[in-house]
Amino acid sequence: MRKFLSIFFLFFALALQAQELDSLRRRSLGDKLGEYFGAIMREPLQVQQAEADFMIEAASDSVVRQFVAQWLYRHYQQSPLMGAESIAIHIFDEWFLPGKVKMDSDMDLLNARIYADFNRLSLVGNKAPALAMEALDGSFVELYTDSDRGGRCRILYFYDTGCAKCRIESILLRNMLNTESFPADFYAIYAGDNRKEWEVYVKDKLAVDPQGMKVTHMWDPMLDSDFQRKYGVIQTPRLFLIGPDGTILGRGLDAKALSAMLHGIFDEVELNYGTKESEELFDRIFSLDGIPSKEDVASVADHITSNTIQKGDTVMFRQLSGDLMYYLASRTGEGCKEGLSELLDSHILSRDDVWVTQDDSIKVIGYAEILADMLSRTVPGTVVPDMKVPGVLMSRKGSKEGSFNLRKLRGKNGYVIFYTEGCPVCDAEKSAAAEVVAQNPKAKVLMVDVDAIVEDNPVLADRLFMAFDLSSLPFIIGLDKKGRVQHRYMTLQRL
């Protein structure tokens, strides 16, 4: 990142030697700072913040350090770059507030403190602060409280009826929302206390009624919600975009910028899932821990969410989550299958705010519903179905062929192997079963030939396919003393 520093340091090193900064030196130093930080303005904010700290720290002369710190504070406070104000607040917290660097006056310090206090809670990337207000119809509305789970993108618009800029922005916003269709909800929040003016304003300038969008008009004339401090409403208008999980995606927006962000989130992009590249990616990820567990899968899924959708990138969330679903669906093993079940519940089928396109319905949701149906059969904790099946029961006493009731196959070490002839993996599991019963006197293993049942007893085969996920063999379950399923999609080769 410091490839830009060579030009800057030549001048900066000379400036550090100065005990006094005259107006010419200040202007020259300001120009060099502007040149450098202009060059890195497209870098991530974390990088820019680290560079700002580095510059201030490098200025060993107190006068130069004060100039650099104040220049950087004003630069990021006034920056048009969304989210840049977080660096100004960081500089205040890190350098000015503890007294490491002095501001020009106590009044400047007070103003900086007010700016930080009125903006730190509503920075991009933060969770949206809770709001509780009265709606136009007299009902009580809560946003981002423990009882409000969100679930869709939300637009928060703070305005005042006496604000000329608000009148223009309100009309532009109304026209944009009525013209374009987004699966988001709109909350228009009046910052004043005149109900009559508010009602007229809503009717004349904020008659928003787009298809598929919930619209709520709110106010807090007694300021009980503390919305001014929570959302930095020192002046109006103030426009925020909040993600489905309550994370602030955009602040300080106008109608045009909001439209661009919403299009970036919701515009249909055709994605392809389960490619060779994605398979190799997840192979590398899970190979770090050997055979993935359910917890490993959940960790990867949560990592995808925190680095995509929580930052407003729903396209990348859909791509990676869809790839993970296809990857797990093609894998065997308890960890992959139970992890897949949780992935479907938490990140696919419960997120209708994200999987919104026709392409999603065909490639992801439809497939996910089929997978979820298969995974819903004989889940851990449920009692095994009460049915007799032909098979070979193995124990320390030997092998016995006959018809056995699955529910009576109880015991801490009771297993059922559904297999098919000619399957190398099935043969390996049958060999492992022989070792299990040889080593454990309490173990019982029932081996069920699915192909034979399909041929000899189609009715029973249908019952088995409805009770168990036999889409891929071998399918092995482990039972407890009460006939409940403890494990499924397991292997006996590692017992």
Side-chain angles (χ1 to χ4, degrees), residues 293-360:
S293 65
K294 175 183 176 181
E295 290 72 25
D296 293 332
V297 174
S299 177
V300 171
D302 290 342
H303 183 75
I304 290 173
T305 299
S306 63
N307 285 277
T308 55
I309 197 170
Q310 290 183 6
K311 296 181 179 179
D313 191 348
T314 57
V315 174
M316 186 57 67
F317 170 80
R318 288 157 53 208
Q319 179 69 75
L320 292 176
S321 296
D323 280 335
L324 181 57
M325 180 186 75
Y326 273 74
Y327 177 85
L328 296 172
S330 66
R331 293 314 189 260
T332 59
E334 186 175 13
C336 287
K337 293 302 185 182
E338 300 298 357
L340 173 60
S341 180
E342 188 169 300
L343 174 75
L344 298 177
D345 289 342
S346 303
H347 300 276
I348 308 291
L349 296 177
S350 62
R351 298 306 303 261
D352 56 2
D353 57 312
V354 177
W355 306 97
V356 297
T357 70
Q358 184 177 3
D359 191 55
D360 293 337

Side-chain angles (χ1 to χ4, degrees), residues 41-99:
M41 68 178 298
R42 295 188 181 278
E43 295 292 331
L45 291 177
Q46 298 93 323
V47 172
Q48 296 188 51
Q49 180 174 296
E51 291 300 300
D53 282 337
F54 176 80
M55 290 295 184
I56 299 171
E57 184 70 40
S60 57
D61 181 90
S62 61
V63 175
V64 175
R65 175 175 287 189
Q66 182 185 35
F67 176 84
V68 172
Q70 292 191 138
W71 187 96
L72 288 169
Y73 174 78
R74 290 191 296 270
H75 171 74
Y76 284 106
Q77 183 190 34
Q78 300 166 8
S79 173
L81 181 66
M82 186 175 67
E85 58 272 25
S86 65
I87 301 180
I89 294 173
H90 167 79
I91 293 172
F92 171 77
D93 290 340
E94 178 67 23
W95 299 98
F96 294 122
L97 183 60

Side-chain angles (χ1 to χ4, degrees), residues 128-178:
L131 284 178
M133 293 182 169
E134 181 186 343
L136 186 61
D137 61 7
S139 62
F140 192 67
V141 178
E142 290 185 291
L143 298 179
Y144 305 113
T145 62
D146 291 340
S147 60
D148 172 48
R149 301 187 181 277
R152 281 163 58 98
C153 280
R154 287 170 170 173
I155 302 160
L156 271 56
Y157 175 54
F158 297 88
Y159 68 94
D160 199 347
T161 57
C163 165
K165 189 175 180 180
C166 293
R167 287 195 290 272
I168 297 174
E169 193 63 39
S170 295
I171 294 172
L172 293 174
L173 189 59
R174 177 195 67 192
N175 293 343
M176 186 273 288
L177 293 177
N178 283 336

Side-chain angles (χ1 to χ4, degrees), residues 407-469:
R407 187 164 292 181
K408 292 183 179 181
L409 188 68
R410 300 176 180 178
K412 188 176 180 180
N413 303 105
Y415 307 98
V416 181
I417 301 178
F418 295 93
Y419 71 93
T420 181
E421 292 291 350
C423 163
V425 179
C426 299
D427 291 340
E429 292 295 347
K430 288 191 287 184
S431 298
E435 294 183 14
V436 169
V437 298
Q439 296 173 7
N440 189 337
K442 296 183 178 180
K444 295 180 180 180
V445 181
L446 177 62
M447 295 191 296
V448 180
D449 185 345
V450 176
D451 287 343
I453 296 177
V454 170
E455 183 176 349
D456 298 336
N457 193 340
V459 175
L460 177 59
D462 287 342
R463 290 184 64 196
L464 287 173
F465 277 101
M466 291 299 296
F468 302 97
D469 177 11

